[in-house]
Amino acid sequence: MATRNITVPNKLLSVQDLTELLAKYCNAEQLAFVRKAYEFADKAHGGQMRKTGVPYIQHPLTAAHILAQMEIDVNIVVATLMHDVPEDTNVTIEEIELEFGPDIAGMIRGITKLGKLKYRGVERYIENLRKMFMAMAEDIRVMIIKFADRIHNLSTLEGLPEKKRERVAIESLEIYAPIANRLGMGEFKGLLEDLSFPYLFPKEYRQVKEIRDKAVSEKNIYLGQIIKKAAAELKKVNIEPVDIHGREKQLYSLFQKLQRKKWDVSGIHDVVAVRIVLKNLSDCYATLGTIHHIWTPLKGRIKDYIAQPKPNGYRSLHTTVFGEDGKVVEFQIRTEAMHEEAEYGVAAHWHYDENGTRLPAKDMRWAQELAKLQKEILTNIKDLEEMKVDFFKSRIFAFTPNGDVIDLPEDATPVDFAYHIHSEVGNKCNGAKINDQLVSLDTPLRSGDVVEIITDKNRKGPSPDWLKFVKTHLAKTRIKASLTANQSSWLKNFLQTGKK
Ligand code: MN
C-alpha cells in the first residue's frame, strides 16, 4: 500500500468501480451511503452532459474515485459525489442536508461558496483567494475535494475552447498547485502541475517527457539490480522494508530542475530514484548506514529531512551513491507515516488506518501552515508574487482596467502590453498608467499590474525609439510594419505634392 499512486481514470466509470475501491476499507452501511449519494447526484444532474460529451455524473464520480484511491474518509467521498449539485441543478443544499446530514451539507456549502475561480482583475483575484482561504480555514476537507474536482477538470480540458483551457491550466499551476504543495500534498501537487504543463508549454512538455522516458528505460534493469542488492543486504542486518520501489520524478518538477541546471541532464540524479519505506524511524537511519556501507555516497548529497523537515513538513532521508559500475543513484528513505504524509499531506489525516478507524483530525500542521499562508497572501499583492511558482518568473500577467489578462514575458513594457491588446492601441499609444500612476513607456511591468494605455487618436504612429525597449516579437513586428507604412505614405505624398 505504500506504493499507491493516484491515477486519473480515463474510462467511463460506474458506481461499482467506486464501491469496489471503497470496499477495501468501508463497511456495508458506508457503501450504502455512498450509493445513495451517487443516485441522488445522478438524479439531480439528470440529462446534463459534460463539454466532453459524457454524462455529467462522470465528473463527480471520477473526482470521488480519485479520493477513494487515497482511502479517504467516506464522508468526503459522499460530499464529492454531490459537490456540483447546488450550483448546477435545482436541488438545494437544504435538501441535501435533510437527506445526508449537516456534515456532508457543510462541505458542499463550502465548495459552492468557493464558486469558480476566475482571472478577472486583481481585486477579484484577491477576493477569490480570500474566499478560498476562508473555506479552507472553516473546513480543510473542502480544499481536498476542490483539488480532486480540479484534477478531473484538468484531465478533460480537451473539451474546452483553447482560451479557457489555458486559463484553467494557469490557475491550477499558479493557485492550486502551490497550495497543495504548502499543505504537503505531493501527489496532488504533482498531478495539478503535470496535467497543466502540456497546455502551457507543449514543446517543453514533450522534451521533458522524452528525457524522462529515456532515463527510465535506461535505468530500469539497473535499478532492479540495485533494489535486489539493497533488499538482500538489509535482510542480513534484520531490516525488513515495508516496500522498496523505483520512483519517476514528476514532469513539471523535472522541468523546473532542468531550467535551473540549464538543461544539463547529467547533473540531475533523481529522474528515477529508489524509495525505501520502513516500519520505524531507527530502521531509516540503519538503512542509510547499510546503503552507505554497500555503495560510496556522493559528497554533500546526504540530506536529513527527518531531523530538519522541509517547510511544508516533508520528511525523508536522501542520499546519492555511486552504485554498480559507478552509476549514480538517489535513495529516499522514510517511514510509512512519513510516506503517507509526503504523498497526501493534510489529506492523510482523513485517511483510514488498517483498523478502519479515522485518525484524529486535531492538532495538525495544516492549521499552522494555513495561518502562515493566509497572512502571507492576503497582506498584499507583493507577497502573492512570492508564492507564485517558477513559471511566473519568466511570464507575467498584467490586467487591463476591465480585468482582462494579458500574458507577457518578464520585463515587458506598456508598449508591449498595448500591442498585445490591438495594433491600433499600440500605434496610437501616447502614455501609460500602471496602477493609476503615470509611468514612462519603457517601465517594466510586473505580474498583477493594472495597465491603462492612454491613446491619442491624432497620433501618426509608433516612435522608432520604442524598438529599443520592447520585449515581444509581436510588438516589434507591428512597430516595424507601421513605420514602413508611414514611410511609404510619406514618400507617396512627397512625390505627388513635392511637400514633406
Ligand atoms: Mn466540479
Side-chain angles (χ1 to χ4, degrees):
M1 86 146 183
T3 52
R4 263 177 301 139
N5 261 334
I6 297 173
T7 51
V8 185
N10 56 6
K11 55 157 192 159
L12 291 188
L13 294 179
S14 68
V15 67
Q16 279 76 19
D17 292 316
L18 178 64
T19 50
E20 264 166 39
L21 200 58
L22 290 167
K24 285 188 211 157
Y25 66 98
C26 291
N27 60 33
E29 196 189 327
Q30 291 170 319
L31 292 179
F33 194 43
V34 170
R35 225 172 258 121
K36 183 181 161 187
Y38 169 79
E39 274 151 25
F40 187 91
D42 191 26
K43 196 173 156 222
H45 287 294
Q48 289 175 353
M49 301 296 261
R50 292 274 285 174
K51 293 248 167 61
T52 45
V54 304
Y56 195 87
I57 192 69
Q58 286 296 323
H59 165 60
L61 188 57
T62 312
H65 191 277
I66 290 169
L67 291 173
Q69 290 176 46
M70 300 164 67
E71 299 191 3
I72 208 157
D73 176 71
V74 76
N75 275 12
I76 300 181
V77 176
V78 164
T80 306
L81 284 171
M82 299 185 287
H83 78 270
D84 279 329
V85 167
E87 190 164 316
D88 294 340
T89 79
N90 297 325
V91 180
T92 63
I93 293 194
E94 286 70 30
E95 288 167 73
I96 295 177
E97 180 152 8
L98 226 56
E99 286 289 324
F100 295 91
D103 188 48
I104 305 287
M107 278 186 266
I108 297 175
R109 193 169 282 128
I111 293 163
T112 311
K113 251 198 267 173
L114 264 178
K116 283 170 182 129
L117 278 180
K118 275 189 188 120
Y119 254 122
R120 288 281 159 77
V122 180
E123 289 303 314
R124 218 66 176 262
Y125 178 55
I126 297 284
E127 189 47 41
N128 277 324
L129 275 175
R130 197 187 295 274
K131 266 202 233 166
M132 194 128 124
F133 285 110
M134 259 155 59
M136 266 202 272
E138 267 171 44
D139 191 342
I140 195 79
R141 294 176 301 174
V142 168
M143 210 53 221
I144 296 173
I145 297 172
K146 200 72 199 164
F147 285 139
D149 172 52
R150 179 49 65 113
I151 285 167
H152 182 245
N153 283 337
L154 280 172
S155 73
T156 53
L157 271 189
E158 288 302 330
L160 297 182
E162 202 181 320
K163 260 249 127 48
K164 201 159 175 212
R165 260 185 249 168
E166 229 166 70
R167 206 185 64 205
V168 173
I170 288 168
E171 278 170 7
S172 306
L173 208 56
E174 185 187 13
I175 301 173
Y176 288 86
I179 292 175
N181 183 40
R182 286 299 287 266
L183 295 173
M185 305 172 79
E187 201 44 39
F188 274 3
K189 172 196 169 250
L191 280 169
L192 288 162
E193 287 179 345
D194 283 9
L195 289 168
S196 310
F197 187 15
Y199 292 99
L200 297 173
F201 306 96
K203 202 179 94 222
E204 288 84 351
Y205 177 81
R206 283 193 299 274
Q207 283 171 331
V208 174
K209 195 159 177 338
E210 209 171 283
I211 288 171
R212 191 180 75 176
D213 289 350
K214 192 162 163 259
V216 170
S217 69
E218 272 173 12
K219 277 204 169 173
N220 254 350
I221 300 168
Y222 172 66
L223 280 187
Q225 295 164 349
I226 291 271
I227 288 171
K228 231 179 181 171
K229 183 155 181 181
E233 292 292 324
L234 287 172
K235 204 170 175 195
K236 282 187 200 161
V237 291
N238 289 323
I239 297 173
E240 249 187 86
V242 177
D243 193 33
I244 306 185
H245 60 271
R247 162 221 141 277
E248 297 164 18
K249 197 170 180 65
Q250 286 156 333
L251 288 171
Y252 188 72
S253 141
L254 178 57
F255 171 54
Q256 289 174 303
K257 200 158 185 175
L258 279 164
Q259 284 182 312
R260 287 199 297 274
K261 307 258 174 189
K262 309 245 175 328
W263 293 81
D264 176 15
V265 193
S266 65
I268 301 176
H269 304 309
D270 64 344
V271 180
V272 199
V274 175
R275 198 173 264 167
I276 308 183
V277 183
L278 297 136
K279 287 192 199 96
N280 55 52
L281 187 63
S282 58
D283 277 358
C284 291
Y285 287 100
T287 298
L288 183 71
T290 306
I291 298 295
H292 287 171
H293 180 72
I294 319 173
W295 299 292
T296 311
L298 252 79
K299 241 188 175 160
R301 302 283 313 186
I302 308 163
K303 286 172 197 140
D304 187 346
Y305 294 122
I306 295 178
Q308 282 173 316
K310 285 192 185 180
N312 68 358
Y314 177 84
R315 291 181 300 162
S316 272
L317 300 172
H318 286 195
T319 186
T320 307
V321 302
F322 294 104
E324 309 296 310
D325 310 324
K327 281 186 200 159
V328 171
V329 186
E330 181 177 297
F331 282 88
Q332 301 172 352
I333 302 163
R334 50 174 77 161
T335 65
E336 233 177 323
M338 290 171 198
H339 181 66
E340 292 262 305
E341 272 195 27
E343 303 294 286
Y344 305 149
V346 294
H349 296 283
W350 279 278
H351 176 245
Y352 278 69
D353 69 12
E354 278 118 50
N355 307 320
T357 44
R358 212 169 109 179
L359 295 166
K362 283 199 178 106
D363 186 30
M364 287 180 305
R365 205 182 53 234
W366 72 261
Q368 286 170 300
E369 276 303 316
L370 189 62
K372 255 193 276 171
L373 197 61
Q374 219 173 345
K375 209 172 150 204
E376 248 175 54
I377 290 180
L378 296 179
T379 34
N380 57 41
I381 302 179
K382 231 172 158 187
D383 282 344
L384 198 139
E385 260 156 33
E386 280 166 21
M387 166 191 155
K388 287 174 185 169
V389 284
D390 281 357
F391 170 57
F392 293 88
K393 284 183 186 151
S394 47
R395 300 297 292 177
I396 60 158
F397 293 88
F399 299 92
T400 69
N402 296 331
D404 290 325
V405 188
I406 307 291
D407 167 8
L408 295 162
E410 207 169 38
D411 293 330
T413 65
V415 174
D416 291 288
F417 184 90
Y419 277 102
H420 273 76
I421 296 175
H422 196 277
S423 35
E424 269 318 283
V425 179
N427 290 338
K428 303 284 178 207
C429 171
N430 213 30
K433 280 183 181 175
I434 298 180
N435 305 324
D436 284 332
Q437 300 286 318
L438 268 173
V439 294
S440 65
L441 286 174
D442 60 353
T443 310
L445 299 178
R446 298 176 47 194
S447 257
D449 280 345
V450 175
V451 185
E452 188 186 335
I453 301 297
I454 302 158
T455 53
D456 175 358
K457 64 177 186 319
N458 297 320
R459 193 186 168 100
K460 289 275 178 304
S463 153
D465 287 344
W466 294 354
L467 288 170
K468 291 179 195 147
F469 59 75
V470 291
K471 292 291 180 301
T472 58
H473 180 69
L474 182 96
K476 265 181 207 151
T477 332
R478 288 187 176 166
I479 293 169
K480 280 183 196 157
S482 176
L483 288 173
T484 328
N486 281 352
Q487 239 162 28
S488 54
S489 66
W490 165 80
L491 194 63
K492 221 191 272 165
N493 196 35
F494 177 71
L495 289 174
Q496 277 166 6
T497 63
K499 276 187 269 179
K500 258 195 184 178

